[in-house]
Amino acid sequence: MSVFESLSLFLPELALVLGAMGLLIYGVFDDEAGEVVSLACVGLLLAATALVALGGGVDAEAFAGAFRIDAFSQFAKALIFGAAAFAILMSNEEREGSGVRRFEYPILITLAAVGMGLMVSANDLIALYMAIETQSLALYVLAAINRDSRRSTEAGLKYFVLGALSSGLLLYGASLVYGFTGATGFEAIARVATAEGASPGLVVGLVFMICGLAFKVSAAPFHMWTPDVYEGAPTPVTAFFAAAPKLAAMALFARALVGAFPEAISDWRPVIAMLAVASMAVGSFSAIVQTNVKRLLAYSSIGHMGFALVGLAAGTERGISGVLIYMAVYIVMTIGSFACVLLMRRQGGRTENISDLAGLAETDKSLALILGILLFSLAGVPPTGGFFGKLFVFGAAVEAGLVWLAIIGVLMSAVAAFYYLRIVKIMWFDDAAPAFVSGPGVRLGLMASLCAAIMLPGLLFLIGPLEQAATSAAAALF
Amino acid sequence: MTDFGDALSIPWLSLITFAPLAGALFIMLGRATAPRVDGGAIAPEALEDVDRNAKRVALLFTLGVFIISLFVYVAYYDPSLGGYQLVEESEWIAGVNYKMGVDGISVLFVLLTTFFFPICVIASWNSIKSRVADYMIAFLVMETLVIGVFCALDLIVFYLFFEGSLIPMFLVIGVWGSTGVKEFAGYRMPSRVYAAIKFFLFTFLGSVLMLVAILWMFAQTGTTDVPTLQQTAFPAGAQTWLWWAFFASFAVKMPMWPVHTWLPDAHVQAPTAGSVILAAILLKMGGYGFLRFSLPMFPIASADFAPVVFALSVIAIIYTSLVALAQEDMKKLIAYSSVAHMGFVTMGIFTGTKQGIEGALFQMVSHGFISGALFLCVGVVYDRMHTREISAYGGLVHRMPFYAFIFLFFTMGNVGLPGVSGFVGEFLTMAGAFKVNSWIAFFAAFGVILSAAYGLRLYRQVMFGELTKDALMTIPDVDARELSMLAVLMLFALYLGVYPHPALSVFSPSVDLLMNTYDAGRLIASGG
C-alpha cells in the first residue's frame, strides 16, 4: 500500500491537522481571532465526525501495519471528535481572561483530538507511543492554559510530571515486549505471546505497559493526578479531559491487550480485574467526602473507569462492546454534568461548592431536573442511560465467568449511588441557597438538556442501534 | 367476556402503563407555558392556576387509567385461563424484548394500582401545599413504573420498572415528607432526608444482586423472557445462589425481618399518599416477585430454603407485632403491623400449597385495602392536628363519630376479624402452613392475637376515654372528600371478606399453573 493510499485513510485527521495549522497562522495575525477560530475548529471537528461516521465499513491497515482503520477505530473516533467539538462549544460562554478564550485553546483541543484519533487506530508499539504523546503534549498545555492562575499552572505541571512518568513506564514496558518478541506490530507480538509461549520477561513488559495505560485512563492505584488536575484546570478544560481522552485511552487499552496479547489473557485478566476493583472502590468511597463538585466528578470518573475496566477484564467480544457502550454513555453524561457545573454562576465568578446547589429545585427547576437525571444516570439507576452501560459490562463479566467481579461491581455501584444521591438530596430536599445568576448565551443550557434527554428517555430507544454499532466495532478486534 | 374485536390490535397494557406518563408531560407543559415574572419564576397568581391544573390533570389521568384498566379487564381478560394474556412483544436490544402481559397473579395488582392512584391524588388534594405540580408529576411517573412492574414479562424490563420506581418515591419522601430532625453518625439532618436515603439505599443494595443473577441467567440461556425462563430447569447448585440473589431483592422490598428497618422510617416520614402507595402497592412488588420468579424459576431452591423463610416469617410476625405494641407514633405502629402481615404472605408463598399461595395473594390484596385505608385514617387526623403521637389524641369518638366507626372497621380488618377481608388471607395462609408444619401455623397464630392487642390498644387510646385535650375540642369529623375515599375502601374490604370467591377464582387458574411448574421442577430434582 502506497503512502498516498495510507494517507487517504486518514482523511479526517489530515483535515484536522491542516485546518488547525492554518487557523494557528490566522490567529497569530488577527487579535480578535478567538471566536472565529473556535467556530472553525468546531466545524472541522464536526466535519471529521461526519466523515468518520459516513465512511463506515472500512477495514484496512495503513503505513505498513502501524495503524489499523476498522469499525472499532471509527466508532471511537466519531465519539472523540464529537466530544471535542462539544468541549470547544462549552468554552465559548466563558468570560474573557480565563485562558480558554485564547485562540490557541480550540486549536490545542483539535490537535489533541488528532492524537486521540491516532491512538485508537494504533496497531504498533511505536505508533501507540507517538499517538499518546501527540495527545498528551496538547493536554499538558491545555491544563495550564490559564497561565495567570496558580491553580491552573500547578495542574499543568502535575499533569506533565506524572504523565511523563507514565509514558516512561509505558516505554519501558514496550521495550521489554519488543525485546522478548522481536516485534512491534500487534499481530506479530500476538503470534509470539501465546498462552504457553509468554515468557516471564514478556509478562513483566506487559504489566509495565498496563501500568502506563492505567495512568492514562486514571485507574486506581494510578489515579492520584486526576483530582488535582481536574480541580486546578479551567472547568471547560476539565470537561474535555474527563470525556474524550478517557475514551481514547480506554480504546487503546482494549486494542493493545486484545490485539497484541489475545492468547495471554490469563496473564492480564487478573491485573485488569484488580485495577477495576481498586478504581471502583477508590472512586466510590473517596467521592463521598468531597465538597468541591469538580473533585467529586474526578473521583466519579475514576469509579467509572473501574466499571468500564470490568468489561475489558472479560476480554471477550461482548466485553469490548460493553466497554464501548459504557464509554459512549459516560461521555454524554460527563459532558452534560460539566455543562451544569459551568452553569453554577454566582456574582463575580463561578462556584464549585456542592453546597451552593442547595435547594436548586426551587430556584431553577429545569437545571435541577437536568442535573438530577444526569446524576441518577451516573449512579446507574434504571431506567436512565447509565444503567445500560453497567448492564453490558457486568453482563459480559458474568458471561466470561467473572461473577465475583460483577458482584463487587454492583455493590460498588450501590456505594456510588450514595454520593450521587447526596447531591440530589442537596438540590431537592435542602433549603434554597441564593439562585445562580444567568450568564450570557444559552448554549450550555441546551447542551446540558440534550445530554440529559439522551440519558432519559433517549437511550431507551437508542440503545438497540448503539449496541449493534458497538458489537460490530468490537468484532473488528477479534 | 364481551367481544370487542381483536384485543391484540391495541397494546392495552402499554397504554395503561404509559398513560400516566402522558399526564406528567401534560403538567410539565402547563408549567412551562405559565406566565412568568422577570426573574424567570412563575408569577404567584399563575402558580395557583398551575397547581390547581396539575391536581386536575393528575386526577383526570389516574381516574382515566383506572377506568381503562377496568374496561380492559372486563372486556378482554379471561379469568378462566391461567396463562399470560394481552401479551405484547417487540424487539428491543439483542436478546431482550419489550414484553408485557398479565395473568391471574398480576392482573389484580394492576387493578389495585390503578385504583389506588386516584385515591392518592384525592388524599393529597389539600394536604400538599408546596410544589404541587412536582408532586403530581412524581406520582404519575410512579404509577407508570409500578404498573410496568406488574406487567413486564421480561426480566430486564421488569428490573427497569422495579428499580425506577425508587426514584419518584425517594423524591416524594425527601421533598414532601414530614418535619423533624434526626441525629445519625454525628450528623444532624431532617429525618425525612434520612428516611428517603435509607429507603433508596436499602432497596437499591438489595436489588443489585438480583441484576447479577439476571445477567447470569441471560448468559446461560440467551434470553430474559420470563415465560421461557419459567420453563427452564436450572441446575440445583445454580438455583441456590440465584434464589438468594432474588431473595435479597424481594425480601428487602417486602420487607422481611431483619431487613425491614427502612419501612417504619419511610412510612413515618412520607406524606399520607406516599405511605398509602408504599403500603398498598410497593410492598406487594416483593411478594409478586417471589411468585413470578423465585417459585417457578428456582423450585428446588425454593423448597430447600422454605424453612429459612418460615423462620424469618414467624419472627417477623411475632417480633414486629411486639414492637408495634410499644409504638408511640400511629404511623409507625401501622408500619410495624404491615411487616407482621407481610410475614403471613411470605409464609403462605413458601408453603408451596395452593391454599398458602392463594392466601398470600389474597392477603396482599386485602392488606392493600386495609393498610392503605389505615394510613388514610391517620392522614385525616394528621391534617387536622399535625401530630401522629398517639398520646396527643383521646376521646375522638365524641367529636368524630363517623371517623371512629371507619377507624374501627379497618382496625378490625387489620386484626383479621371474620367478615372483613383480612381474615380470609390469614386463614388461608395458616391453613397452608398447617399442612406443611403445624408448629409454624401455631406460632403464626400468635400474630393474630398480638395484632388484636396492638390494634385495640391504638383504638382505645385514640378514640375512647374522655375528650380532655383542648386542641381536640373543635376537631371536625371526616368531610365528604375523605368519607368518599374511605367508604369505597370499606366496601371492597367488606365485599372481599364476605365473598372472597371472585378474587380467588381469578388467582386459581394461574396458581394451578404455577403449582404445576413448581412441582415439576422439584420432581426433576428428585427423579435425577
Side-chain angles (χ1 to χ4, degrees):
Chain A
M1 185 181 272
S2 73
V3 173
F4 288 106
E5 276 176 87
S6 293
L7 278 177
S8 71
L9 291 168
F10 282 99
L11 207 56
E13 283 88 345
L14 281 177
L16 288 177
V17 171
L18 295 176
M21 297 298 177
L23 289 167
L24 198 58
I25 295 169
Y26 168 70
V28 173
F29 287 105
D30 187 348
D31 288 341
E32 305 287 313
E35 189 73 357
V36 179
V37 172
S38 90
L39 286 180
C41 283
V42 171
L44 276 174
L45 284 163
L46 289 179
T49 313
L51 262 181
V52 172
L54 295 177
V58 203
D59 192 358
E61 288 188 345
F63 299 113
F67 293 95
R68 194 174 178 86
I69 314 291
D70 52 16
F72 182 80
S73 71
Q74 301 299 84
F75 183 95
K77 273 183 204 172
L79 283 169
I80 289 168
F81 296 152
F86 269 81
I88 297 175
L89 282 174
M90 273 182 166
S91 67
N92 279 16
E93 288 170 11
E94 283 294 283
R95 62 192 163 77
E96 296 287 339
S98 68
V100 301
R101 293 296 290 270
R102 278 184 232 283
F103 77 91
E104 291 95 335
Y105 174 77
I107 292 174
L108 281 167
I109 288 197
T110 312
L111 290 175
V114 172
M116 290 180 234
L118 296 177
M119 274 165 79
V120 297
S121 34
N123 196 36
D124 179 290
L125 291 177
I126 295 170
L128 173 151
Y129 182 71
M130 284 190 333
I132 287 189
E133 287 307 291
T134 311
Q135 175 222 223
S136 298
L137 284 173
L139 295 187
Y140 301 145
V141 184
L142 278 174
I145 191 129
N146 190 2
R147 58 183 181 219
D148 302 328
S149 148
R150 272 174 61 183
R151 279 169 82 199
S152 178
T153 322
E154 185 191 326
L157 193 62
K158 268 184 189 159
Y159 197 14
F160 177 68
V161 171
L162 287 169
L165 177 68
S166 75
S167 296
L169 286 174
L170 187 69
L171 263 187
Y172 184 57
S175 65
L176 277 173
V177 170
Y178 172 62
F180 279 88
T181 60
T184 54
F186 286 176
E187 281 90 359
I189 295 173
R191 277 195 292 278
V192 183
T194 53
E196 304 79 38
S199 62
L202 185 57
V203 173
V204 172
L206 173 61
V207 170
F208 269 107
M209 278 182 67
I210 291 178
C211 293
L213 289 169
F215 257 110
K216 302 294 180 195
V217 297
S218 73
F222 306 103
H223 64 282
M224 277 79 83
W225 58 273
T226 317
D228 292 339
V229 172
Y230 275 30
E231 192 187 357
T235 310
V237 177
T238 313
F240 178 61
F241 281 4
K246 291 281 185 289
L247 169 70
M250 195 56 88
L252 176 66
F253 215 151
R255 196 193 283 276
L257 289 181
V258 177
F261 302 95
E263 302 287 321
I265 184 165
S266 57
D267 289 319
W268 55 260
R269 178 185 268 172
V271 183
I272 300 294
M274 281 304 137
L275 286 175
V277 171
S279 308
M280 290 188 290
V282 166
S284 304
F285 286 105
S286 309
I288 292 175
V289 290
Q290 302 304 323
T291 54
N292 179 297
V293 70
K294 279 163 76 181
R295 274 191 97 81
L296 179 118
L297 285 171
Y299 280 106
S300 146
S301 88
I302 294 169
H304 281 291
M305 290 309 114
F307 291 116
L309 284 173
V310 170
L312 185 55
T316 55
E317 212 173 303
R318 204 185 272 274
I320 302 302
S321 120
V323 173
L324 290 176
I325 295 172
Y326 198 96
M327 294 309 294
V329 172
Y330 164 79
I331 281 185
V332 178
M333 295 189 294
T334 306
I335 290 177
S337 334
F338 275 101
C340 291
V341 172
L342 284 167
L343 285 167
M344 292 167 62
R345 299 184 183 112
R346 278 280 149 77
Q347 216 68 50
R350 187 178 291 115
T351 167
E352 292 169 5
N353 289 329
I354 293 172
S355 55
D356 282 329
L357 285 167
L360 190 65
E362 300 207 35
T363 52
D364 188 344
K365 203 151 272 177
S366 39
L367 185 59
L369 183 69
I370 289 166
L371 191 50
I373 290 177
L374 290 168
L375 287 168
F376 276 115
S377 184
L378 284 165
V381 182
T384 57
F387 168 71
F388 291 103
K390 294 209 164 65
L391 183 70
F392 287 105
V393 288
F394 292 146
V398 169
E399 201 186 46
L402 296 170
V403 176
W404 64 272
L405 188 58
I407 291 178
I408 293 179
V410 294
L411 293 179
M412 286 305 160
S413 78
V415 175
F418 172 72
Y419 66 80
Y420 295 119
L421 278 190
R422 197 174 64 112
I423 308 179
V424 174
K425 171 228 151 203
I426 288 169
M427 287 196 306
W428 287 80
F429 303 169
D430 286 2
D431 294 329
F436 296 129
V437 293
S438 49
V442 290
R443 220 175 267 156
L444 285 171
L446 277 180
M447 224 181 281
S449 340
L450 177 69
C451 292
I454 293 176
M455 286 301 112
L456 189 78
L459 214 60
L460 288 174
F461 303 100
L462 295 176
I463 186 68
L466 176 64
E467 198 252 359
Q468 277 170 5
T471 306
S472 57
L477 286 193
F478 289 86
Chain B
M1 192 172 145
T2 333
D3 188 27
F4 281 93
D6 187 4
L8 298 176
S9 58
I10 299 174
W12 284 113
L13 290 179
S14 297
L15 183 77
I16 294 170
T17 306
F18 292 103
L21 206 58
L25 292 177
F26 216 63
I27 296 177
M28 282 186 199
L29 199 69
R31 202 174 53 198
T33 54
R36 283 162 192 275
V37 291
D38 298 336
I42 298 175
E45 320 81 71
L47 191 63
E48 221 164 82
D49 283 344
V50 169
D51 286 353
R52 198 174 51 238
N53 285 338
K55 285 192 249 187
R56 285 181 184 166
V57 170
L59 186 62
L60 192 74
F61 270 85
T62 49
L63 267 182
V65 169
F66 176 56
I67 291 166
I68 296 173
S69 63
L70 263 188
F71 164 73
V72 173
Y73 175 71
V74 173
Y76 297 125
Y77 184 82
D78 183 353
S80 63
L81 301 178
Y84 297 107
Q85 301 183 36
L86 299 163
V87 174
E88 307 160 14
E89 188 165 12
S90 54
E91 287 209 6
W92 190 31
I93 322 171
V96 179
N97 287 349
Y98 169 80
K99 187 169 181 182
M100 307 282 262
V102 286
D103 67 352
I105 292 173
S106 54
V107 71
L108 287 190
F109 290 116
V110 174
L111 289 173
L112 195 70
T113 308
T114 57
F115 169 75
F116 260 104
F117 271 90
I119 291 202
C120 284
V121 173
I122 298 171
S124 314
W125 205 264
N126 295 332
S127 57
I128 298 297
K129 297 201 168 54
S130 67
R131 305 202 224 165
V132 178
D134 293 359
Y135 180 86
M136 294 300 166
I137 291 172
F139 264 84
L140 288 168
V141 171
M142 187 149 50
E143 179 168 16
T144 286
L145 294 169
V146 174
I147 298 176
V149 166
F150 293 123
C151 292
L153 284 187
D154 182 282
L155 274 172
I156 297 287
V157 179
F158 168 81
Y159 190 81
L160 284 180
F161 285 121
F162 188 77
E163 289 287 275
S165 63
L166 294 179
I167 299 176
M169 198 61 197
F170 170 74
L171 295 175
V172 164
I173 298 174
V175 177
W176 295 278
S178 56
T179 51
V181 177
K182 168 100 185 171
E183 292 258 4
F184 180 72
Y187 290 97
R188 279 168 65 81
M189 61 181 116
S191 37
R192 63 188 155 85
V193 172
Y194 171 80
I197 292 182
K198 191 172 177 181
F199 161 75
F200 193 100
L201 290 182
F202 259 67
T203 29
F204 191 72
L205 194 62
S207 313
V208 289
L209 292 174
M210 178 168 76
L211 179 63
V212 178
I214 293 175
L215 291 172
W216 191 86
M217 288 157 77
F218 179 71
Q220 294 298 309
T221 61
T223 180
T224 46
D225 182 63
V226 172
T228 313
L229 289 171
Q230 284 174 338
Q231 303 305 325
T232 309
F234 290 102
Q239 279 195 21
T240 304
W241 74 263
L242 289 174
W243 186 88
W244 278 106
F246 275 75
F247 181 75
S249 169
F250 299 138
V252 173
K253 201 86 187 179
M254 194 88 198
M256 290 175 75
W257 184 87
V259 282
H260 66 282
T261 57
W262 63 269
L263 183 76
D265 281 310
H267 262 317
V268 169
Q269 298 304 325
T272 302
S275 295
V276 172
I277 288 300
L278 205 52
I281 314 287
L282 293 193
L283 301 191
K284 275 62 189 178
M285 298 194 318
Y288 170 75
F290 282 132
L291 287 169
R292 177 67 84 229
F293 307 112
S294 300
L295 238 45
M297 290 181 191
F298 324 120
I300 305 169
S302 296
D304 284 353
F305 295 112
V308 179
V309 178
F310 292 147
L312 294 178
S313 306
V314 168
I315 294 175
I317 291 170
I318 295 180
Y319 168 78
T320 51
S321 297
L322 288 172
V323 174
L325 263 178
Q327 293 310 310
E328 298 298 324
D329 182 307
M330 289 200 253
K331 267 186 159 180
K332 225 170 193 165
L333 189 148
I334 303 169
Y336 278 110
S337 116
S338 285
V339 181
H341 284 95
M342 289 298 112
F344 284 100
V345 174
T346 45
M347 181 182 77
I349 290 172
F350 282 92
T351 58
T353 60
K354 188 158 194 265
Q355 275 134 327
I357 292 173
E358 287 190 8
L361 279 164
F362 196 89
Q363 171 81 341
M364 285 198 271
V365 173
S366 140
H367 179 263
F369 288 117
I370 290 171
S371 70
L374 280 173
F375 280 114
L376 284 174
C377 285
V378 175
V380 167
V381 285
Y382 181 78
D383 283 348
R384 289 162 172 69
M385 306 303 301
H386 299 285
T387 174
R388 296 176 307 260
E389 288 288 311
I390 296 173
S391 54
Y393 297 95
L396 282 184
V397 70
H398 302 292
R399 287 281 312 167
M400 309 175 78
F402 283 110
Y403 179 70
F405 171 72
I406 296 167
F407 203 114
L408 180 68
F409 178 87
F410 288 116
T411 305
M412 288 302 136
N414 203 31
V415 168
L417 192 77
V420 187
S421 61
F423 169 74
V424 182
E426 282 177 16
F427 175 77
L428 282 174
T429 52
M430 278 197 281
F434 198 82
K435 279 189 185 170
V436 178
N437 185 333
S438 49
W439 283 104
I440 303 163
F442 172 75
F443 284 114
F446 278 103
V448 184
I449 301 170
L450 286 169
S451 75
Y454 62 73
L456 293 175
R457 167 180 164 264
L458 171 70
Y459 193 78
R460 180 181 61 80
Q461 292 186 345
V462 173
M463 294 299 168
F464 292 155
E466 288 301 308
L467 189 65
T468 50
K469 305 202 170 51
D470 292 338
L472 298 176
M473 289 301 178
T474 54
I475 190 168
D477 205 345
V478 283
D479 60 25
R481 179 180 63 92
E482 293 156 345
L483 190 64
S484 59
M485 292 187 295
L486 292 166
V488 175
L489 291 171
M490 271 169 82
L491 277 181
F492 274 105
L494 196 62
Y495 176 67
L496 288 177
V498 177
Y499 187 52
H501 177 72
L504 292 175
S505 67
V506 175
F507 301 144
S508 186
S510 296
V511 173
D512 283 337
L513 271 187
L514 171 64
M515 299 283 304
N516 287 343
T517 318
Y518 180 62
D519 292 336
R522 282 183 307 160
L523 274 183
I524 293 172
S526 57

